Each structure stands twice: as structure tokens, then as C-alpha cells.
């Protein structure tokens, strides 16, 4: 991997590279590889503009990571907020600033939109990501419990 990382908001022309990254991200979290599902899901997000996706490329133009933000609202702050739902870097790019560059793009986008905050979740055993998030300024919640319910 080369040293220069370029991050920009993804567009339709990035879909093939994004689909590969997104499929690898899903596999990282225990899902079965399904490139067609990844492509279709991301195509829908970009077409409907219901998420914001940033793609990171090295100076040769190779896609080395992405992040995806979903807009939401804070009832307490009465302002927009964003959930950083996905962040992934290819294995050879880890530890080389790609994740930090993607986080910077996400933070700057949320701030430019007037968001009250940016939230994220990661697996309890994903200590590398937790270290990155903490060093970037995210604070682990100690006041609230997160619950979820799988639906059929």
C-alpha cells in the first residue's frame, strides 16, 4: 500500500469497488460472502440517498476502505445526528491511517450538516477498532445500555 490516502464521498462509479469492500466487511462480521447482495444494498443506499458513503483510495487509486453514515435525529438535542454504521479497511491498509482518514471525513460531514453527535458501535472483541475510536475522541458509553431485537 502506498502512503497517500484520498477520501471522498462515494458515487455511482464507485459501486464495484464499494461492493467488494462491503462484502469483505460483512464477512469480517461472520456473514456469508454475497457480492451481489452487497452491490444491490449499496446501490439502493446511493440511489435513494439514505446514507452517506465515503471511500478511501491509495495514490494508485486502489480502494482501501469505506465508511457509511446513516442520518438520524437527536430528540434531546433537537438536531440531526449520524450513526457511523460501517467502517472497514482492507487488511494490508490497517494501521496506516485509512481508518483515521475515514473517521475524519465522517466527523467533518456530520459537523457540516449541523449534527449534534456521531455515534458508532463495534464488536466487543474488536479491540483494534476500539483503540482507534478512543484515540480519535469517541467516548465509550457507560450510562446507557444498548438493546436490539432481531425480527423475522
Amino acid at each position: 500500500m502506498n502512503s497517500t490516502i484520498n477520501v471522498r464521498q462515494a458515487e455511482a462509479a464507485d459501486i464495484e469497488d464499494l461492493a467488494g469492500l462491503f462484502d469483505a466487511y460483512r464477512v469480517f462480521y461472520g456473514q456469508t460472502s454475497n457480492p451481489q447482495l452487497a452491490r444491490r444494498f449499496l446501490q439502493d443506499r446511493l440511489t435513494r440517498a439514505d446514507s452517506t458513503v465515503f471511500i478511501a483510495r491509495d495514490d494508485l487509486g486502489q480502494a482501501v476502505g469505506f465508511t457509511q453514515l446513516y442520518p438520524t435525529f437527536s430528540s434531546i438535542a433537537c438536531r440531526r445526528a449520524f450513526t457511523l454504521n460501517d467502517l472497514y479497511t482492507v487488511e494490508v491498509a490497517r494501521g496506516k491511517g485509512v481508518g483515521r482518514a475515514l473517521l475524519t471525513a465522517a466527523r467533518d460531514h456530520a459537523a457540516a450538516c449541523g449534527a449534534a453527535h456521531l455515534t458508532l458501535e463495534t464488536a466487543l472483541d474488536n479491540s483494534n477498532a476500539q483503540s482507534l475510536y478512543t484515540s480519535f475522541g469517541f467516548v465509550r458509553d457507560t450510562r446507557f445500555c444498548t438493546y436490539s431485537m432481531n425480527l423475522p
Side-chain angles (χ1 to χ4, degrees):
M1 192 188 103
N2 298 313
S3 60
T4 304
I5 304 301
N6 300 298
V7 176
R8 64 170 173 74
Q9 192 167 338
E11 49 196 37
D14 297 307
I15 197 68
E16 292 307 315
D17 288 337
L18 282 173
L21 292 167
F22 190 66
D23 188 56
Y25 166 78
R26 293 183 70 252
V27 168
F28 179 83
Y29 278 105
Q31 301 301 304
T32 301
S33 177
N34 189 334
Q36 295 80 18
L37 175 66
R39 184 181 307 104
R40 187 171 53 249
F41 183 83
L42 287 171
Q43 186 74 49
D44 286 348
R45 300 296 68 74
L46 292 176
T47 300
R48 296 176 182 166
D50 53 15
S51 74
T52 301
V53 181
F54 291 95
I55 188 167
R57 295 184 181 275
D58 65 16
D59 56 0
L60 295 177
Q62 297 296 309
V64 293
F66 82 98
T67 191
Q68 182 165 211
L69 307 173
Y70 291 104
T72 187
F73 292 91
S74 168
S75 299
I76 302 301
C78 295
R79 290 172 45 201
R80 175 184 296 276
F82 283 91
T83 300
L84 191 153
N85 205 71
D86 314 308
L87 189 142
Y88 180 78
T89 62
V90 297
E91 194 167 342
V92 298
R94 293 181 190 152
K96 303 200 186 297
V98 176
R100 187 167 295 280
L102 288 163
L103 288 173
T104 298
R107 181 199 58 210
D108 292 352
H109 174 76
C113 291
H117 61 262
L118 181 61
T119 61
L120 61 82
E121 295 178 351
T122 194
L124 292 173
D125 63 354
N126 194 348
S127 59
N128 289 338
Q130 291 173 37
S131 294
L132 171 63
Y133 301 145
T134 301
S135 73
F136 195 79
F138 283 90
V139 177
R140 187 171 182 168
D141 192 328
T142 59
R143 292 181 32 206
F144 296 96
C145 296
T146 300
Y147 295 87
S148 66
M149 176 188 296
N150 290 332
L151 302 174

